[in-house]
Amino acid sequence: MTVTDAPPAAAAVGGTVLEASGVTMRFGGLLAVNNVNLTVREGEIVGLIGPNGAGKTTFFNCLTGLYKPTSGQVRFAGVPRKAPKPPKRKRVKKAPSAAAVDAVTVAVQVPSLPKLSPLPPKPRAVVRAGMARTFQNIRLFANMTALENVMVGRYSRTSAGAITSVLRGPKFRREEAATRARAQELLDFVGLGKSTEHLARNMPYGDQRRLEIARALATDPKLILLDEPTAGMNPQETKQAMDLIFKIRDLGLSVVVIEHDMRFIFTLCDRVLCLVRGETLVEGTPGEVQSDPRVIEAYIGSGEDDDEDDDGPQDVVEEAKP
Amino acid sequence: MTDVQTETPAAPEVAVAPKANPVAWPLGLAGVVLVIVGSFLSWSYDGTILNDLSIDFFPGGLQILAIVIAVLSLVLLLAAKGPLAALGSWLDATLGLRTFGTGLVLYMALVLVAISVESEGLINVNPGGYVTLVGALLIAVSGWLLPLRQLRNMKAAKLPGWVDILAIAVLMGSLLFLAAYALGLEDAWSFILCLVFIATAATGLFRTGAMSWVAQAGQRNRKVLTLASFAVAFLFPFTQDGSDANMSIATSVLVFAATAMGLNIVVGLAGLLDLGYIAFLGSGAYVAATLSQSAFATIGWKPPFLVVVLVGALVAMLLGLVIGSPTLRVSGDYLAIVTLGFGEIFRFAMFNLDGNNGPNLTNGPNGIPGIPDLELFGFNFGAVHHPFGIELGRFSNYYFLLLILTGGVILVFSRLNNSRIGRGWVAIREDEKAAEAMGVNVFGLKLLAFAVGAFLAGLAGTIKAHQDGAVSPDQYIFLESAFLLAAIVLGGMGTIAGVLLGATILKLLPEKLRFFSEYRLLLFGITLVLMMRFRPEGLVASRRRQLEFHEDDEHLAEVVENELVEEAK
């Protein structure tokens, strides 16, 4: 794995996957997110930056249905209600022995995008439609193994009910085997193929982050939202995380990333959105955003946000300039 | 979980013990001889108590139990030093000997107390009793003098597969024999002594590590273990010589166990606190009663039993859905309160639907008596049958039916647990928000647990109605729900063996020890408090639950992880 600091050629960017318009979230008197628009196209990596308390995570929660936005609309190139079952058996066979971790390719079917339709503000419906997320503070199922964690992610794409589970017919066995194989495949994909039986709570921090990504990928998303995927990582781990996100993008998925690490964001993203106090400050290519004086001002000028650490924006922005 | 004996406690004592070594071993041997000789002598002057321990050279039941412990101790002594030394490198003979010795001293002390209480004074104790007590003391002393040793890891033992199976068979056989023997004891003292024996033998075997090995053998041969358990349960009625006294206890244990198992799905798997579960059993029973051939049944429709079973279970499930759907959306505490209220509402409804305040469905406080025995496929459950020339009474018939039911409930439990649905339940218990964000249908899965639990309880209720022959509101009080919950907590949430064990303990002890029935609640209360303090995961802990209860125990997490990795290979 080699990482060059220059962004690799962006994958072909396709049609619009997500279109959030005028999203506003108000908690009593607090306007956490105010009239934010975001459009994500297929195969695109979009960065979401902003000082602490800018409303980035709240915006994520509005997108994924954990919050119901006060106003505004989230439209998604959703899976039709009765999605044709993906051919799981074929997919299992496609991953032969999964020998070399890096060589594993995960076959994600990206059919031609359906029309944009409004997303109901329910997490489950959002996942079914094809949007998955990770959490800022890792929220794994701590007492389950890595494999089990990922298998839970398959929940919305499998259908065995109570009666099927008790009777254990061939359909159940097939689905269970496919779930297991797919989970293993995804663990290989994120580089945790050897930690299958490890308890999530025992895993090193970086692995937990990757496991959370694998769990999100297990829901077969078209768009994946990563909330500070490199928080607390050392530079080595950060590079690995970046590679992983590129790999995910190369599968044809769209990615939205919240991050504080500016170098990470500007290397990774095709487009960057800067939120300040719940409002969009700038949106544009990394080059545009990092040269915008308002961004630097937003970071330095906001006196309340005094908990910025050494990756404070101005030097990082400077450093990241090619 | 089995005891994990690591070398850590052994290290400091090894340095002290070797000095006493030369005396310890012969002392133990002398103890064994004394116990055996003493047990062949008369223990009690009075032949009418404790199933006659008064005849020389003809040991009674309790004396044979002492001999059994002595023989086990002998094996351990020989393993510590002597011809069985090879065995001693695997088994912790010293720890076992300590337990056996101490347990036997307690046992003999209780025997002497029992004799003097039952027949006025220590004067009635014959020399044999004292000889055995001295022998027991010697074994205990020798156990405490013997040094602890480094053991080899039992997992490394390479034994042919049939040894595993043999071990399971021996374990199950002794279980059957012990259950039959213990239940056959009429007087409370004998029963208590028998319990002390079982506790001593079981603890001792655990301490040596032999039991952990058997448990691992069971893990390796899960199917064999399951089959053997059912075989033992199936054979139990044949040991009772057609006597209904114990079989009626056994059937009530089975009803209780099957119901507790159903509740275990709700509490142990889905993590929902249900304090009114007995109402679902009650609704099944009431449905069966009102649709039965009883002269007091209030509904004219009298369908065949299989239809009644289905109706009863579905009615219970419907009630579960009605209670569950509005409450499962809010947090757990509300659910506990609402189910508690529901249990009471059910009881009052059954109490008041007597024709005075609405339709007469239940005859109010009188209930519905005179429910006839079941007749399925020409097999009358009320009659005495003689398969293989062995007499099986009415309760034995119901026992078999309930055994099938319990097996079914266990099947549902374990299969749901090991499926997509079971994973969803665990995920909800671990982190409800994250589970939701991963697409798990949180509300649906909770409701499902509730519905399945209610369905199974309703099913059990329909059989219970026929077995009891009557239903009345006072059978379905809150205390019963609390006992069901206690059985689960005591035995081990989310486990099969634990809940069966808990249910057996909670139902069997009060039946056998009538004299302590006044203190029953007090004792259970104390037991539960102690359990919560020292072993919150229950007697038999499910691995996952144990992890959940010990969030910051790193060592435990390591141990469990190693086991998981091992199993995956």
Side-chain angles (χ1 to χ4, degrees), chain A residues 8-277:
Chain A
V13 172
T16 306
V17 178
L18 173 84
E19 189 184 88
S21 48
V23 172
T24 303
M25 186 73 216
R26 187 187 285 279
F27 298 107
L30 177 76
L31 198 56
V33 176
N34 186 15
N35 198 20
V36 174
N37 300 315
L38 173 70
T39 307
V40 182
R41 284 189 293 278
E42 213 178 346
E44 194 179 29
I45 303 179
V46 178
L48 202 55
I49 60 170
N52 287 332
K56 303 181 296 289
T57 300
T58 310
F59 182 58
F60 258 29
N61 287 343
C62 289
L63 294 183
T64 51
L66 280 178
Y67 295 156
K68 188 177 185 296
T70 317
S71 65
Q73 201 184 31
V74 181
R75 301 203 305 151
F76 191 74
V79 188
R81 266 194 99 66
K82 288 269 176 213
K85 289 273 158 58
K88 287 176 197 113
R89 290 183 85 179
K90 267 190 189 168
R91 193 181 286 163
V92 174
K93 283 176 188 160
K94 263 188 192 168
S97 73
V101 172
D102 278 359
V104 175
T105 52
V106 181
V108 176
Q109 288 202 327
V110 185
S112 57
L113 284 174
K115 277 204 314 221
L116 289 179
S117 52
L119 261 187
K122 290 215 173 83
R124 200 154 61 86
V126 170
V127 173
R128 281 207 72 88
M131 200 195 302
R133 69 170 296 174
T134 65
F135 292 90
Q136 185 177 351
N137 44 344
I138 302 174
R139 295 184 84 158
L140 287 167
F141 307 121
N143 294 319
M144 294 177 108
T145 64
L147 190 73
E148 286 170 329
N149 265 281
V150 183
M151 284 170 87
V152 170
R154 293 297 298 160
Y155 188 93
S156 60
R157 302 295 173 202
T158 44
S159 61
I163 295 172
T164 329
S165 301
V166 172
L167 295 181
R168 307 243 146 153
K171 180 179 165 281
F172 174 86
R173 285 159 202 274
R174 220 179 301 137
E175 189 179 277
E176 196 71 5
T179 305
R180 188 169 289 273
R182 173 71 169 157
Q184 182 65 55
E185 199 181 346
L186 285 166
L187 283 175
D188 290 338
F189 177 74
V190 298
L192 293 175
K194 297 235 158 51
S195 316
T196 315
E197 300 300 330
H198 288 212
L199 288 175
R201 72 186 228 185
N202 286 2
M203 294 172 90
Y205 184 79
D207 287 0
Q208 292 195 0
R209 286 269 176 218
R210 283 191 282 170
L211 178 55
E212 216 186 8
I213 292 175
R215 188 179 66 178
L217 285 176
T219 64
D220 286 354
K222 276 186 292 192
L223 169 65
I224 185 164
L225 308 177
L226 306 175
D227 199 343
E228 300 200 18
T230 67
M233 283 186 175
N234 62 32
Q236 169 77 22
E237 289 170 322
T238 306
K239 278 195 171 178
Q240 285 176 358
M242 203 183 296
D243 283 345
L244 180 58
I245 295 174
F246 281 132
K247 248 167 91 182
I248 292 170
R249 193 268 318 271
D250 292 342
L251 296 174
L253 272 70
S254 314
V255 184
V256 180
V257 198
I258 293 181
E259 228 350 300
H260 278 304
D261 183 338
M262 295 300 156
R263 192 181 315 153
F264 179 79
I265 279 283
F266 292 135
T267 318
L268 188 73
C269 300
D270 302 317
R271 217 142 43 77
V272 179
L273 184 73
C274 179
L275 285 187
V276 174
R277 298 214 175 93

Side-chain angles (χ1 to χ4, degrees), chain B residues 439-521:
Chain B
V440 174
N441 184 354
V442 173
F443 174 67
L445 277 186
K446 284 183 176 179
L447 198 60
L448 176 74
F450 220 66
V452 172
F455 184 89
L456 294 174
L459 208 70
T462 54
I463 299 176
K464 180 179 157 61
H466 284 271
Q467 185 228 306
D468 288 350
V471 293
S472 63
D474 53 7
Q475 288 172 306
Y476 303 103
I477 52 178
F478 167 67
L479 201 59
E480 292 294 323
S481 295
F483 270 125
L484 284 170
L485 211 55
I488 292 176
V489 173
L490 182 72
M493 273 188 213
T495 64
I496 295 169
V499 170
L500 293 181
L501 181 69
T504 313
I505 292 176
L506 251 61
K507 208 66 186 176
L508 185 64
L509 289 191
E511 293 281 355
K512 270 295 175 185
L513 306 174
R514 291 262 171 212
F515 68 90
F516 103 143
S517 64
E518 284 170 48
Y519 306 103
R520 189 168 69 135
L521 287 180

Side-chain angles (χ1 to χ4, degrees), chain B residues 191-202:
Chain B
F191 187 71
I192 293 176
L193 284 166
C194 186
L195 287 187
V196 172
F197 164 78
I198 292 173
T200 305

Side-chain angles (χ1 to χ4, degrees), chain B residues 298-318:
Chain B
T298 46
I299 293 180
W301 186 43
K302 302 193 189 307
F305 182 65
L306 288 179
V307 176
V308 174
V309 166
L310 209 62
V311 174
L314 286 177
V315 165
M317 185 168 94
L318 202 66

Side-chain angles (χ1 to χ4, degrees), chain B residues 393-413:
Chain B
R394 173 177 182 273
F395 281 103
S396 301
N397 300 332
Y398 281 104
Y399 177 89
F400 289 125
L401 185 62
L402 287 165
L403 195 61
I404 295 172
L405 172 80
T406 312
V409 177
I410 291 175
L411 190 80
V412 171
F413 177 89

